[in-house]
Amino acid sequence: MKVLLYFEDEQLIRKSGVGRAFEHQKRALASAGIEYTTDPRSTDYDILHINTYGVNSGFVVRKARQLGKPVIYHAHSTKEDFMNSFRLSNVLAPFVKYRLVHLYNSADVLITPTPYSKRLLESYGLRLPIYAISNGIDLDAYEVKPSNISAFREYFGIKPAEKVVIGVGLLFERKGILDFLEVARNMPDVRFIWFGDISRLLLPGKILNAIDHCSDNVIFPGYITGNLMKGAFAGADAFFFPSYEENEGIVVLEALASKQTAVIRDIGAYDAFAVNGKNCYLGHNNKEFETILRRVLDGSLPRTDEQGYLVAKERSIDEIGAQLRAVYTSLLK
């Protein structure tokens, strides 16, 4: 079989979780021995697997229908994870939901990252088959390497005894950036680093104000990739991601694959794996987050890195490739 993987405006959103999910898809198909193309002009394919909902996405679906090709829509997006993000996102959210439902209904089946996001889609009235398949994680890419950790600590001038907490994501209220900054302000003896970037023109005023007036122990290095980022995941003392809404949270899988202790909010996206105190630590508010982080950093709470790694292992690229092959095969039959 041959699959057309379509991702509209890849350069604009490649830094997002959806952008990384698309890269994981390509690796998963390669691991499963499935031929694919990313050229929307192609007609030599058996299944359209589409990832985005822009203007051109609808055209690509209609073309596939004209060619008699089955369509899989990868439902990365929901109204809930669009809200509290860009400037005016809450005003636009109902229209985004209408667009998503229209496009998702044009498919034969949907794939979405978690049972939680599957339940959200079903609540929209979507009745076509929906498969919950993780976006996956490349375990080899996040293998813990001392050289990466050293590079991270040297790059940021981190002293041997200094404690470091990292967060990763776009600078959205939904991602918990305001909570990250408040907790950091209450822990001035700890270095906090948030990795992620987006145009300031897209951000609401309260986010810009919070970033511009953050405490001195917070660093915003922007969007960083490669060994330095892998060193950050593995070399920090904790990963803190107080996001309010995710469909999966690829950055959480990246932290777990790096054998890092993750402190995350207790939200539906993590229901399928999160066991508080075993493979991560779950909090509900900033007071709880501060308490958990202090105890993780001083060693009075056990680290959860080994059990967390097993969560990532269950979502390895090879595992996801096999699950995608099963859906493709079923659809062709």
Side-chain angles (χ1 to χ4, degrees):
M1 72 178 78
K2 185 176 182 179
V3 178
L4 169 57
L5 290 178
Y6 183 68
F7 191 99
E8 185 175 350
D9 293 329
E10 183 175 358
Q11 290 303 311
L12 291 179
I13 53 178
R14 64 183 178 84
K15 297 179 180 180
S16 68
V18 178
R20 292 203 296 287
F22 183 59
E23 291 302 314
H24 292 176
Q25 266 176 37
K26 290 187 284 188
R27 296 177 197 174
L29 265 61
S31 76
I34 299 172
E35 186 180 1
Y36 70 86
T37 179
T38 58
D39 183 359
R41 296 167 298 181
S42 173
T43 59
D44 178 28
Y45 64 91
D46 300 297
I47 297 172
L48 169 63
H49 185 160
I50 187 165
N51 286 269
T52 47
Y53 58 95
V55 175
N56 290 334
S57 296
F59 296 144
V60 172
V61 171
R62 286 196 289 275
K63 180 182 175 182
R65 288 302 188 199
Q66 292 168 359
L67 294 170
K69 312 288 189 182
V71 177
I72 294 174
Y73 230 111
H74 211 116
H76 297 287
S77 302
T78 62
K79 182 193 81 170
E80 286 75 8
D81 82 341
F82 182 79
M83 295 176 68
N84 297 312
S85 55
F86 302 98
R87 192 188 296 265
L88 299 179
S89 61
N90 289 4
V91 174
L92 296 173
F95 303 99
V96 169
K97 178 181 176 181
Y98 178 84
R99 171 72 173 169
L100 291 174
V101 170
H102 173 72
L103 287 174
Y104 292 165
N105 267 324
S106 70
D108 295 290
V109 302
L110 300 179
I111 294 176
T112 196
T114 58
Y116 167 73
S117 55
K118 178 181 178 180
R119 293 194 298 271
L120 279 182
L121 295 172
E122 289 170 341
S123 75
Y124 294 175
L126 293 163
R127 295 293 176 259
L128 63 168
I130 305 174
Y131 297 90
I133 299 177
S134 170
N135 288 312
I137 187 70
D138 187 343
L139 293 176
D140 292 338
Y142 288 90
E143 179 184 358
V144 177
K145 296 181 179 179
S147 59
N148 291 345
I149 295 174
S150 296
F152 159 66
R153 298 187 74 87
E154 289 174 10
Y155 183 87
F156 288 100
I158 300 167
K159 299 174 183 177
E162 187 176 7
K163 299 297 184 181
V164 181
V165 173
I166 68 165
V168 184
L170 297 175
L171 300 170
F172 291 159
E173 182 176 1
R174 171 176 68 82
K175 295 288 186 181
I177 183 63
L178 296 179
D179 302 85
F180 186 89
L181 295 178
E182 181 180 329
V183 171
R185 189 177 295 278
N186 292 334
M187 300 177 66
D189 53 319
V190 177
R191 181 97 65 101
F192 283 75
I193 306 175
W194 183 280
F195 295 90
D197 193 19
I198 194 168
S199 171
R200 290 174 62 91
L201 296 175
L202 299 175
L203 295 176
K206 66 177 177 179
I207 301 296
L208 293 174
N209 183 64
I211 292 171
D212 291 342
H213 297 89
C214 66
S215 53
D216 293 340
N217 60 326
V218 178
I219 301 173
F220 290 99
Y223 181 73
I224 291 179
T225 60
N227 291 339
L228 186 59
M229 190 66 243
K230 294 169 187 175
F233 273 119
D237 296 289
F239 171 77
F240 176 37
F241 188 58
S243 178
Y244 286 86
E245 181 69 31
E246 297 290 323
N247 284 327
E248 181 168 42
I250 286 182
V251 295
V252 176
L253 295 184
E254 291 171 335
L256 298 180
S258 305
K259 297 188 175 181
Q260 179 59 262
T261 292
V263 180
I264 54 181
R265 193 179 301 276
D266 188 2
I267 58 175
Y270 312 137
D271 286 349
F273 76 84
V275 180
N276 188 34
K278 181 179 180 181
N279 53 31
C280 64
Y281 285 104
L282 298 172
H284 302 86
N285 54 58
N286 290 346
K287 184 177 181 180
E288 288 185 9
F289 288 136
E290 182 181 343
T291 299
I292 293 168
L293 283 170
R294 287 194 182 280
R295 294 190 64 194
V296 168
L297 297 181
D298 69 17
S300 59
L301 280 178
R303 296 190 64 82
T304 59
D305 43 5
E306 292 298 334
Q307 289 297 316
Y309 180 78
L310 296 181
V311 172
K313 189 175 180 179
E314 291 173 353
R315 292 155 177 80
S316 70
I317 290 293
D318 290 346
E319 291 290 335
I320 302 313
Q323 293 178 45
L324 290 176
R325 174 179 278 280
V327 173
Y328 294 158
T329 301
S330 174
L331 185 56
L332 289 177
K333 287 180 179 179

